[in-house]
Amino acid sequence: MSSLFQPYTLRSLTIPNRAWMAPMCQYSAEVFGPNAGVAGDWHLTHYAARAAGGTGLILVEATAVSPEGRISPADLGIWNDTQVAAFRRITRFLKSQNTVPGVQLAHAGRKASTDRPWKGGAPLGADEHGWQPLGPSPVPFDDGHPVPDELTREGIAEIVGQFADAARRALDAGFEIAEVHGAHGYLIGEFLSPHSNRRTDEYGGSFDNRVRFALEVVDAVRAVWPEELPLFFRISATDWLEEHGWTVDDTVRLAALLKEHGVDLLDVSSGGNAARVRIPAGPGYQVPFAARVRAETGLPVAAVGLITEAEQAEKILSNGEADAVLLGRELLRNPSWARHAARTLGAEVHVPQQYHRSV
């Protein structure tokens, strides 16, 4: 039987297969006013298509825990009840298609307040609906980026509380998995890496200090997230820097701690915290990072990164390198990837009754 189309159970939640959708920002929410950060028709259509295509779990894109936590003014948010109501349309439809709805809770940190990628992604000023970014240290992401305001201890505690509040709202919105975004150079990842964290207090310096904020967020979310539902954490396994960066060894060490703090699965990506680094991307190039975490800590992992073919995904799982695969760009190209993969592997997947004539 196909490993890719075996159900997977975490806590009391069973996901129907192991072909999952990675969180990918759409930069398509309302920008300002009472509907800022609210999911609209684009989001419903976008996620509904992948659910109808047989995807077992959909992790909704980075969803900001506060207005200042958005990457761009067009990001989704989950800091108010209007946003919650809009998400209910999406989670309700995903569940009707036998797809588990999950959401990635995020704060962009020093990489906040930028334009949409297709408009260049440059930092935005106040006259363009931008704002002053926050970070662990006054170190800009890149040349031309603003120096972030260094977070105080009180500011750190406030953001920890925002993550907890966002998790409560996510549950109310109908999500069944919450993922804490600790990857790609956003706020939690900025605290993790000595490349971006130059603090000299209890949140900087040693490994234990640099992971403190991440663990505080996880503890706060786990405290309000139901015991029977899974909690994920997304990590950049490496900064791809030769020195003074976050490393794969650090990731394995943190994974063991996350497991102790109630994280059920590590979503293993890489990069994003250092500008202009060279990443040797190729088919499945991040899978070894996930495999090492799984082998050395026993924490379940999902692999991501240029996984495009059904046979490739099947091999990753059957070799024990990961417990699930997360597809990104391939699901943008082909919303029904899971259905096509099931046909290739001789497996079965949910097909909407309206589409049965295509089977």
Side-chain angles (χ1 to χ4, degrees):
M1 296 179 67
S2 166
S3 298
L4 186 60
F5 290 96
Q6 288 296 303
Y8 189 57
T9 299
L10 288 166
R11 297 189 183 246
S12 67
L13 182 70
T14 298
I15 304 166
N17 62 56
R18 302 174 191 225
W20 300 350
M21 183 175 178
M24 291 174 283
C25 287
Q26 297 298 292
Y27 306 101
S28 298
E30 290 286 340
V31 171
F32 57 92
N35 288 323
V38 172
D41 291 345
W42 174 264
H43 301 92
L44 175 63
T45 304
H46 170 65
Y47 291 115
R50 279 79 195 165
T55 308
L57 162 66
I58 289 176
L59 286 171
V60 168
E61 64 202 79
T63 301
V65 301
S66 70
E68 300 77 21
R70 293 172 291 173
I71 304 166
S72 84
D75 280 20
L76 291 178
I78 194 162
W79 64 80
N80 65 43
D81 293 340
T82 302
Q83 295 159 345
V84 169
F87 276 131
R88 289 195 191 113
R89 281 204 313 162
I90 294 172
T91 59
R92 185 164 54 244
F93 184 85
L94 267 53
K95 291 174 184 177
S96 77
Q97 299 305 306
N98 201 34
T99 296
V100 172
V103 63
Q104 185 182 70
L105 305 178
H107 193 296
R110 67 176 182 166
K111 293 175 74 174
S113 188
T114 59
D115 209 346
R116 293 174 171 94
W118 53 85
K119 291 188 174 183
L124 297 174
D127 58 338
E128 301 170 294
H129 307 296
W131 59 93
Q132 174 61 26
L134 305 169
S137 303
V139 180
F141 171 66
D142 196 6
D143 296 340
H145 283 245
V147 176
D149 287 345
E150 182 174 81
L151 280 162
T152 64
R153 291 180 179 86
E154 293 76 19
I156 291 170
E158 181 180 4
I159 292 174
V160 171
Q162 289 169 348
F163 270 94
D165 290 343
R168 290 189 190 94
R169 290 193 179 94
L171 184 66
D172 191 25
F175 290 106
E176 296 178 304
I177 290 175
E179 176 174 272
V180 173
H181 195 355
H184 301 157
Y186 299 120
L187 186 61
I188 293 175
E190 292 164 17
F191 270 88
L192 294 177
S193 174
H195 175 74
S196 44
N197 184 346
R198 313 288 175 83
R199 299 176 73 96
T200 58
D201 64 3
E202 68 270 30
Y203 289 96
S206 69
F207 172 88
D208 289 339
N209 283 356
R210 286 184 282 110
V211 304
R212 188 183 307 277
F213 176 57
L215 295 178
E216 287 179 352
V217 169
V218 165
D219 287 345
V221 171
R222 186 75 266 180
V224 301
W225 196 244
E227 181 69 23
E228 66 272 15
L229 294 179
L231 175 63
F232 291 5
F233 189 98
R234 189 167 223 197
I235 189 76
S236 280
T238 173
D239 284 340
W240 296 103
L241 293 169
E242 292 183 4
E243 55 184 15
H244 304 304
W246 183 259
T247 69
V248 182
D249 289 343
D250 293 329
T251 293
V252 172
R253 190 174 171 187
L254 176 60
L257 293 172
L258 291 171
K259 184 179 180 182
E260 293 175 2
H261 284 253
V263 168
D264 300 289
L265 180 140
L266 194 68
D267 171 358
V268 185
S269 187
S270 72
N273 192 43
R276 299 187 305 279
V277 296
R278 298 187 65 178
I279 298 177
Y285 71 105
Q286 296 172 148
V287 173
F289 304 147
R292 184 176 165 194
V293 169
R294 189 176 191 265
E296 295 187 24
T297 70
L299 181 67
V301 297
V304 64
L306 292 179
I307 299 169
T308 59
E309 305 296 331
E311 296 89 348
Q312 176 194 16
E314 181 72 15
K315 184 177 180 181
I316 291 167
L317 299 181
S318 61
N319 285 350
E321 295 174 284
D323 299 279
V325 295
L326 283 158
L327 298 131
R329 292 176 178 86
E330 194 61 24
L331 270 174
L332 297 183
R333 290 186 281 264
N334 181 3
S336 296
W337 187 92
R339 193 186 316 153
H340 297 159
R343 185 179 301 138
T344 297
L345 298 173
E348 293 185 359
V349 70
H350 171 78
V351 178
Q353 292 181 342
Q354 297 90 332
Y355 290 172
H356 276 190
R357 73 192 75 176
S358 70
V359 176

